[in-house]
Amino acid sequence: MDIFGKRFEDEYRSDDTQEINCIIETAQEVNGHTEYLLRLSRGYLKQHTWRVLRRYNDFADLQKHLSISGINLPLPGKKFFGNMRPDFIAERRRELQIYINTVLMNPILASSLPAKRFVDPDSYSQSFHDQAVQNALLCLRSEGLWSLGTTLGAIGWRLRKHYFKVTPKPPDSKSSSKALVKSGSQTHAHVKQSSVTGSGSNGSKSDHANDSSHTEATELVLEWLEYGPDKYIEDKELGGILKCLVNMQHPNIESPKYAAHNENGCLVIRKFHKHGSLKDILCMATPKNPFLSKYGNPKGRTALSMKQVAIYGKQILDVLIFLHSKGYPYGHLHSGNIVIVDDCVKLLDVENYILGVPSFYRPFFVQHGKIYKSEAIDVYCFGHILFEMSMGYPMQESVARQITDCPDVLKHLLESILSKEACKSGLPSLEQLSNHEFFKEYSASETCRKSSEDDIARSQFKLSINAKEAIKLAIQKTENRLREEQKSVKNQKRIVRVQELMSCEEEKRKSKHKALLH
């Protein structure tokens, strides 16, 4: 019988945030060396299992790739003599189990491509970068407005998201194929255009894209992202929604300059902020460095002042309330999706929800059955942001077991979102958080708040009736998939508790029997 059995066939679009567990089952001698049989499982369903054979050298190669993180990992040293003895192999197997557990339990390491390829080579062996280049060029070709530049490397946490330099083509640039330029309104001719110009069924752009004086002084970044498992919006509606996002105006949202999509994913072009994200500020990191080196084991960390936490937190709540009032969840709040410009918060990646990609904090809130509604997810993620801003470091668990080193009013606010009791009983609404005493005590003056309210009053985000219905249906399907996964998590936890109880009772019986014999 084949020891590997039948490999589970993943759905067309994978959820890269699902937890992968690894058990080193056995070790065997093959051609003078030892191979370890790894049994892997994804998520909480038993049929999501497969097996992989790995040598010690494979573990050593993984260690080389992960060393850029600066995280101290317990890989045992190589032994040249006596390494085939049964007692040594048994000990080495135990040590390698500790090593791979350490990697997979660390969110930064577990989400990296080297770690994914080590435990799941079938799903992650392809070149995601080459696929991104091909798709980006296809999306850009039909417009002839932009030139794709060099890659920025693995600066983000998503395996299927890629960043490139991009520049607008000059007005007198000749297209490599005239047939690809659809009309004069889609070139850089200096003509008066509406704020959003239609570009076929799969592309949208703003008038910023045609203003060469604007883009000369602004560094732009092109982002290509594959669709995720919660992509439920049809392509004909997706193009229209992307146009609305490009045309959206809000003081706390960094809208894309350009957006296009095909059957594989979506491309957006937006402003690159040289000071980086909020996470870069908190980790004192350089934005264009690789994700692993920036956030694996930061050399420095800094927390924000209580006034900054309150000001930025209130702005985040205001923009979340705005989006939900339009029937559009954000769903992807984390410190890497926030930039600070002149004390003003700006949210990035507002398009992520309609692309169906999983949230950064999904491995956390999938553990809590009460957190499945779109607003509750945004509230929960906001709690993590609030914690990270005030403490200077992120939470490593789904709940905050003990909150210290902060004013009581902030402690009360954090506990209302992140405590075990809150996650079990239900979270406050965005409006309730916005009216919390913490923001009244520490946020900006009435004059600043009035100015902010005026800016928000002038905000625009118009969706068609069909778009609203499509998003509403996508929300329902996304919540349903999450609830099914949460049920699996709950069932698995129940099984583990029963097994632990039975094991404990068995040990008690053995101890009692042993005592009677003596």
Side-chain angles (χ1 to χ4, degrees):
M1 181 178 176
D2 182 5
I3 60 172
F4 293 98
K6 184 179 179 181
R7 176 72 164 88
F8 173 77
E9 295 295 332
D10 282 324
E11 294 182 358
Y12 175 67
R13 300 187 182 105
S14 299
D15 186 343
D16 296 322
T17 66
Q18 284 190 321
E19 179 181 328
I20 294 181
N21 296 296
C22 174
I23 296 176
I24 304 178
E25 289 188 323
T26 61
Q28 59 190 20
E29 182 181 346
V30 179
N31 298 328
H33 63 264
T34 303
E35 290 189 349
Y36 300 90
L37 179 62
L38 280 58
R39 177 165 59 86
L40 290 308
S41 61
R42 177 185 290 107
Y44 293 89
L45 300 179
K46 288 185 177 180
Q47 62 263 38
H48 292 219
T49 60
W50 65 99
R51 287 175 171 82
V52 176
L53 283 173
R54 291 297 186 193
R55 298 175 56 177
Y56 173 83
N57 287 345
D58 296 322
F59 285 88
D61 287 341
L62 174 62
Q63 174 67 14
K64 289 179 183 177
H65 285 101
L66 299 182
S67 61
I68 189 177
S69 69
I71 298 174
N72 186 25
L73 296 172
L75 179 71
K78 190 175 182 66
K79 186 171 183 178
F80 295 94
F81 302 101
N83 55 11
M84 301 302 293
R85 297 197 322 268
D87 59 332
F88 171 80
I89 292 175
E91 178 64 15
R92 174 54 53 90
R93 175 183 161 194
R94 186 188 67 81
E95 293 171 336
L96 292 177
Q97 182 71 68
I98 294 173
Y99 172 80
I100 195 62
N101 286 349
T102 304
V103 171
L104 295 179
M105 289 173 63
N106 185 298
I108 301 293
L109 299 179
S111 64
S112 68
L113 188 54
K116 294 289 190 185
R117 281 180 171 163
F118 180 85
V119 296
D120 192 359
D122 286 354
S123 300
Y124 296 95
S125 60
Q126 69 266 42
S127 175
F128 295 106
H129 176 266
D130 290 348
Q131 293 172 3
V133 171
Q134 293 171 9
N135 280 288
L137 289 173
L138 285 172
C139 285
L140 294 178
R141 180 194 291 178
S142 63
E143 298 298 330
L145 296 176
W146 305 91
S147 294
L148 185 68
T150 57
T151 179
L152 295 180
I155 62 175
W157 70 278
R158 293 189 187 275
L159 304 178
R160 304 170 196 271
K161 185 170 187 176
H162 299 265
Y163 303 81
F164 302 89
K165 293 181 179 180
V166 66
T167 54
K169 291 184 178 179
D172 59 348
S173 173
K174 293 183 179 180
S175 174
S176 58
S177 174
K178 292 183 179 180
L180 297 177
V181 181
K182 296 182 179 179
S183 68
S185 65
Q186 293 172 332
T187 69
H188 280 283
H190 293 286
V191 295
K192 186 176 180 180
Q193 300 184 11
S194 62
S195 58
V196 174
T197 304
S199 56
S201 63
N202 65 345
S204 56
K205 59 180 179 290
S206 71
D207 53 355
H208 297 300
N210 299 303
D211 185 354
S212 58
S213 63
H214 173 83
T215 54
E216 281 177 1
T218 303
E219 184 177 3
L220 301 174
V221 60
L222 181 150
E223 303 169 2
W224 167 261
L225 179 59
E226 292 183 23
Y227 297 130
D230 290 318
K231 195 267 187 182
Y232 301 114
I233 297 178
E234 298 294 332
D235 287 353
K236 61 181 180 180
E237 289 296 342
L238 185 61
I241 298 172
L242 287 173
K243 291 176 185 179
C244 294
L245 294 178
V246 169
N247 196 33
M248 179 167 50
Q249 297 178 16
H250 192 284
N252 301 119
I253 294 176
E254 187 68 74
S255 299
K257 309 275 182 201
Y258 174 86
H261 69 99
N262 62 19
E263 65 275 11
N264 298 316
C266 178
L267 172 155
V268 298
I269 296 174
R270 56 167 45 93
K271 180 180 178 182
F272 182 82
H273 294 269
K274 63 180 181 179
H275 297 298
S277 65
L278 173 61
K279 192 168 190 70
D280 291 319
I281 294 172
L282 296 174
C283 292
M284 304 171 70
T286 303
K288 291 185 180 180
N289 282 349
F291 180 81
L292 275 178
S293 66
K294 286 189 295 187
Y295 311 132
N297 186 20
K299 295 180 180 179
R301 287 192 183 274
T302 183
L304 303 183
S305 68
M306 285 300 103
K307 183 176 181 180
Q308 288 174 314
V309 172
I311 292 174
Y312 300 157
K314 186 64 167 63
Q315 290 177 12
I316 292 170
L317 288 172
D318 287 342
V319 68
L320 292 177
I321 291 171
F322 169 80
L323 288 172
H324 280 271
S325 73
K326 303 296 183 180
Y328 190 96
Y330 183 53
H332 292 271
L333 188 65
H334 64 88
S335 56
N337 272 353
I338 300 171
V339 292
I340 309 296
V341 182
D342 298 329
D343 265 348
C344 179
V345 161
K346 288 186 179 292
L347 299 189
L348 306 175
D349 294 358
V350 71
E351 69 279 358
N352 275 7
Y353 194 88
I354 58 173
L355 304 183
V357 294
S359 168
F360 181 81
Y361 287 115
R362 184 183 176 87
F364 283 166
F365 59 72
V366 76
Q367 301 177 45
H368 303 287
K370 289 285 187 178
I371 306 175
Y372 68 93
K373 290 289 187 181
S374 58
E375 182 177 359
I377 290 172
D378 277 335
V379 167
Y380 178 78
C381 296
F382 174 76
H384 278 267
I385 291 294
L386 208 62
F387 183 96
E388 191 172 357
M389 287 194 297
S390 56
M391 304 300 175
Y393 55 88
M395 286 174 52
Q396 298 296 324
E397 296 183 271
S398 68
V399 295
R401 303 189 183 280
Q402 188 174 10
I403 299 174
T404 57
D405 301 326
C406 68
D408 288 341
V409 66
L410 176 57
K411 178 181 178 181
H412 175 268
L413 175 57
L414 290 171
E415 287 177 341
S416 72
I417 307 171
L418 299 174
S419 68
K420 185 177 180 180
E421 293 74 19
C423 291
K424 182 179 289 187
S425 60
L427 305 184
S429 67
L430 291 169
E431 289 284 357
Q432 288 173 327
L433 292 178
S434 183
N435 293 322
H436 194 275
E437 190 64 31
F438 171 73
F439 300 108
K440 297 177 182 178
E441 183 174 341
Y442 286 96
S443 61
S445 65
E446 290 296 328
T447 303
C448 294
R449 281 202 293 270
K450 182 66 168 60
S451 175
S452 176
E453 290 169 1
D454 291 341
D455 289 336
I456 293 173
R458 292 192 293 269
S459 301
Q460 295 182 19
F461 183 30
K462 297 180 180 179
L463 292 166
S464 68
I465 295 177
N466 288 341
K468 289 181 179 179
E469 287 299 316
I471 294 171
K472 184 177 179 181
L473 183 60
I475 292 172
Q476 293 174 353
K477 292 182 176 180
T478 300
E479 291 176 351
N480 289 340
R481 188 177 83 88
L482 175 59
R483 292 195 75 181
E484 288 302 313
E485 193 168 342
Q486 287 173 333
K487 289 178 182 177
S488 298
V489 173
K490 185 176 181 180
N491 290 337
Q492 183 62 28
K493 287 182 176 179
R494 184 184 295 115
I495 291 171
V496 170
R497 285 197 298 269
V498 170
Q499 290 174 340
E500 290 176 347
L501 182 61
M502 292 176 64
S503 176
C504 183
E505 291 297 326
E506 181 64 23
E507 288 298 322
K508 287 181 179 179
R509 283 196 296 270
K510 287 182 179 179
S511 298
K512 186 176 181 180
H513 180 68
K514 190 174 182 180
L516 290 173
L517 292 176
H518 290 283

